Amino acid sequence: MHVQSLPNDDVIILVADFDGPDGQNNRVTETILRQLRDATDDYDDVEVIALGQAVTEQAGSNQARRLAEKKKADIMIWGWYGQTSDTVPISANFELLEENEYIPDDLGDSASGAIQTFDIAELNSFSLQTRLSNEMSFLTLFTLGMADYANDNWADAIALFEDALRQTEEASERLELSIIHFYRGESYASNERPNDAIQAYNQALNIKPNDYITLNNKGNVLTNLGLLDDAIKNYDLALQIKHDYHVTLYNKGNALFELGLLDNAIKNYDLALQIKHDYSDALSNKGAALAQLGEFDNAITAFEQALKIQPDNYILLYNKGLALARLGEARAAVKAYNKALNIKPDDHAALNNKGLVLARLGDFDNAIAAFNQALRIKPYEHSPLYNKACVYGLRNKPYKAITWLEKAIILNEDYREIAKIEPAFDSIRQNPDFQALIITTP
């Protein structure tokens, strides 16, 4: 389901006369116009215009579009109906003038011009006119909601989707309502309302239980909530429907990663990669899982494969640096961190870790410079404070070592205990000020 942007200008909805017998008494067009105007009355950027002429079945979509273009309309509603002694065949068309992919194709028969047959009593009682009007209003409000959705205006999209649903008190078999519930779920999730998102996804699944994308996206929301077992259940349901959907395999791998089931996570990443060989996210997370298992060589291989696809991905470069550092490849680690910092110069974690590797290489001046850069970005981050203290300890500079250690302890009391066994402080361990600092106070 792809979404593209809609114009931000006012939206013009053009309604042609519905071609059919006894139009004045049946009032099909009149009812649609009235209902549409009522439904869009709260939206100042929407204008509903009566075309004042019919588009016949024979003239069809081409004429409808030509007339709409003359009026500079965005949406064209047109159709026709017939009448026998017992039934009413009717065709309604809801056409968007710009052929963008911001709205799905399968919105139901009421949008597509499919011929539907109703009992004559529904026309005579005006229930058919009311139903058709409500459906056109639903489609209009849904389309306007999709315009906001495409522009990341989540709250406005939600309001329009809710207004659209109020036009159909009962679920219409001629409208594909699972789609609007899906996009409500997407909008709620993006608007950081996860519980509402899950409820909307469930409503979509009640209508269309085999929608693997909805199951996948519901799983993502559950993962973000930390409900990992429930998330995996949804991913498994999605994979029962479409076993080769690489996105779900990747997402299931992420949930397993969060649960600490790293081997199973890697299996799912590998399955995703069998389907999509250039899936850099799967390669990246596979590398991270391998690194956690201590398989640093294999982790680096995964990171390097991902970097062939995304050479400017600073997270990959950063993680490669971490893995190289754990392997003792200090100079290669510094190169990886430098590449990451060329892309994201304000990454304080990369600067801090670069400083650690430089210190390991004995390049103390540059290590201190890296820690200082990290602290300029995040002044109250305790790790570079402690690491600076360690470097000054290695250089046998007790005053500076104790000064920076004290700053680190103020932010994180754990450093008081860590410092007691830190080899970097061996040269100053007997210093009275150091001893006074590391004494645990009751």
Side-chain angles (χ1 to χ4, degrees):
M1 297 183 182
H2 301 289
V3 179
Q4 294 180 358
S5 296
L6 284 173
N8 291 321
D9 300 333
D10 290 354
V11 177
I12 296 175
I13 304 164
L14 190 63
V15 182
D17 292 348
F18 268 61
D19 187 38
D22 202 7
Q24 186 171 356
N25 286 327
N26 288 327
R27 300 206 296 268
V28 174
T29 310
E30 178 187 337
T31 308
I32 291 173
L33 282 165
R34 184 178 65 250
Q35 176 62 22
L36 267 176
R37 285 168 176 155
D38 287 345
T40 59
D41 186 54
D42 291 336
Y43 303 99
D44 295 334
D45 56 350
V46 179
E47 184 178 5
V48 179
I49 298 174
L51 177 61
Q53 69 180 82
V55 177
T56 64
E57 179 185 8
Q58 292 74 23
S61 178
N62 288 337
Q63 185 191 26
R65 286 181 169 273
R66 282 195 300 270
L67 292 167
E69 286 169 1
K70 286 181 182 179
K71 298 288 186 180
K72 298 182 178 179
D74 301 285
I75 297 170
M76 177 69 168
I77 296 172
W78 64 280
W80 58 268
Y81 66 99
Q83 186 174 336
T84 69
S85 58
D86 298 319
T87 61
V88 179
I90 189 167
S91 170
N93 294 269
F94 183 90
E95 294 201 33
L96 301 172
L97 271 292
E98 292 191 11
E99 295 183 1
N100 292 321
E101 295 181 18
Y102 57 80
I103 193 165
D105 295 327
D106 53 343
L107 286 174
D109 292 343
S110 286
S112 64
I115 299 174
Q116 304 161 82
T117 303
F118 301 92
D119 193 282
I120 189 68
E122 291 191 65
L123 181 68
N124 294 333
S125 67
F126 284 90
S127 64
L128 175 56
Q129 294 89 320
T130 300
R131 183 189 305 175
L132 183 61
S133 301
N134 287 340
E135 289 172 355
M136 293 299 109
S137 297
F138 166 87
L139 291 167
T140 297
L141 291 166
F142 173 72
T143 302
L144 296 173
M146 287 303 296
D148 280 317
Y149 176 91
N151 290 309
D152 298 346
N153 299 325
W154 314 120
D156 291 340
I158 290 166
L160 280 156
F161 293 152
E162 301 294 351
D163 278 353
L165 287 168
R166 279 190 279 272
Q167 307 304 314
T168 55
E169 292 182 2
E170 298 179 2
S172 171
E173 62 187 19
R174 299 189 308 281
L175 291 170
E176 184 48 82
L177 293 179
S178 67
I179 292 172
I180 192 169
H181 289 303
F182 171 82
Y183 280 109
R184 283 176 62 236
E186 295 290 277
S187 300
Y188 278 127
S190 298
N191 205 35
E192 298 183 358
R193 294 171 61 180
N195 293 324
D196 290 325
I198 291 169
Q199 185 179 31
Y201 289 137
N202 285 339
Q203 288 174 288
L205 291 166
N206 286 338
I207 300 166
K208 196 173 179 181
N210 290 331
D211 190 329
Y212 64 92
I213 294 177
T214 303
L215 285 163
N216 174 79
N217 292 11
K218 179 185 171 187
N220 291 344
V221 174
L222 289 164
T223 295
N224 291 336
L225 286 172
L227 301 173
L228 300 171
D229 290 329
D230 289 338
I232 290 169
K233 287 177 184 176
N234 278 268
Y235 295 140
D236 284 339
L237 288 170
L239 291 167
Q240 287 173 21
I241 299 160
K242 188 169 177 59
H243 69 277
D244 60 348
Y245 189 41
H246 62 280
V247 175
T248 300
L249 289 164
Y250 166 74
N251 289 333
K252 182 181 175 183
N254 291 341
L256 290 163
F257 193 128
E258 291 294 319
L259 283 171
L261 302 173
L262 300 175
D263 289 325
N264 286 336
I266 291 167
K267 287 177 184 177
N268 277 270
Y269 295 140
D270 282 337
L271 288 170
L273 287 162
Q274 287 174 19
I275 299 160
K276 184 174 171 58
H277 304 300
D278 61 347
Y279 201 171
S280 60
D281 288 345
L283 285 165
S284 176
N285 287 10
K286 176 185 175 181
L290 288 164
Q292 284 207 17
L293 288 170
E295 298 181 28
F296 298 113
D297 285 322
N298 291 330
I300 291 166
T301 299
F303 294 141
E304 287 177 344
Q305 287 176 304
L307 284 164
K308 290 177 182 176
I309 303 161
Q310 288 188 309
D312 294 330
N313 186 315
Y314 83 93
I315 293 175
L316 285 168
L317 291 162
Y318 172 78
N319 285 340
K320 181 183 174 182
L322 288 176
L324 287 164
R326 293 296 300 273
L327 275 177
E329 300 286 344
R331 296 189 187 282
V334 171
K335 287 181 181 179
Y337 289 136
N338 282 338
K339 287 181 180 179
L341 290 163
N342 285 338
I343 298 163
K344 191 172 169 49
D346 61 347
D347 187 341
H348 65 90
L351 286 162
N352 181 61
N353 287 340
K354 175 186 171 181
L356 285 172
V357 177
L358 288 166
R360 190 183 303 169
L361 288 167
D363 189 353
F364 297 133
D365 289 337
N366 283 322
I368 293 292
F371 297 139
N372 286 339
Q373 283 180 279
L375 288 166
R376 278 196 290 271
I377 296 162
K378 202 167 182 180
Y380 298 104
E381 177 64 30
H382 53 78
S383 183
L385 292 169
Y386 179 78
N387 292 335
K388 270 186 82 171
C390 289
V391 170
Y392 284 123
L394 290 169
R395 298 180 72 177
N396 195 20
K397 294 190 174 184
Y399 176 76
K400 288 186 175 181
I402 293 166
T403 298
W404 290 104
L405 176 60
E406 184 175 19
K407 291 176 185 289
I409 289 171
I410 289 170
L411 294 176
N412 186 340
E413 182 66 27
D414 291 344
Y415 287 123
R416 196 185 302 276
E417 293 299 315
I418 295 169
K420 291 178 181 178
I421 56 172
E422 172 62 65
F425 297 130
D426 286 349
S427 66
I428 64 168
R429 194 164 303 283
Q430 303 308 314
N431 184 291
D433 292 332
F434 179 82
Q435 286 295 320
L437 181 59
I438 64 173
I439 292 172
T440 305
T441 55

